[in-house]
Amino acid sequence: LPDEFAQLLAVPEGQHVEFKEAKADYRFEKLLEYCVALANEGGGKIVLGVSDRRPREVVGTTAFSEPGRTEAGLMQRLHHRIPVEEYLHERKRVLIVH
């Protein structure tokens, strides 16, 4: 997975990948909006805990401390399973919403 994560960091932000610093928290409503926008573009990922400016810096996030609960909330609102993956990069927590 470290190689996959390194490749993800190298991808330019655009239609299929969004990076958000979100160090402390992130609004659920905002996450919903991004999920819908990405779905309309054919899918993608939202990465929380990474600076959106290049060079990308992994800053870590404490947003959505229970990924399973976040997944359940997305399912309830959007009626689609949207995996929320926790990843530790150099001891900094990153959330990848697929």
Side-chain angles (χ1 to χ4, degrees):
L1 202 68
D3 291 343
E4 287 177 39
F5 187 68
Q7 288 173 354
L8 182 61
L9 290 179
V11 170
E13 196 172 50
Q15 291 183 343
H16 301 289
V17 180
E18 283 288 332
F19 295 94
K20 299 293 167 202
E21 199 163 276
K23 282 184 187 179
D25 62 354
Y26 200 73
R27 286 188 22 252
F28 183 73
E29 294 299 319
K30 198 81 183 148
L31 183 64
L32 275 173
E33 289 172 20
Y34 273 108
C35 286
V36 169
L38 285 172
N40 288 338
E41 294 293 332
K45 296 176 183 3
I46 303 161
V47 184
L48 301 181
V50 176
S51 64
D52 36 344
R53 292 176 189 232
R54 290 177 173 251
R56 301 218 195 289
E57 183 186 349
V58 178
V59 296
T61 184
T62 57
F64 305 114
S65 61
E66 296 179 43
R69 190 169 161 216
T70 305
E71 260 185 47
L74 291 169
M75 177 71 173
Q76 183 178 27
R77 293 284 296 274
L78 301 175
H79 308 289
H80 287 285
R81 184 174 176 274
I82 300 169
V84 179
E85 174 188 0
E86 241 176 347
Y87 179 71
L88 280 181
H89 177 78
E90 297 173 359
R91 298 197 319 231
K92 292 180 182 156
R93 178 180 177 266
V94 174
L95 270 190
I96 303 169
V97 181
H98 297 271

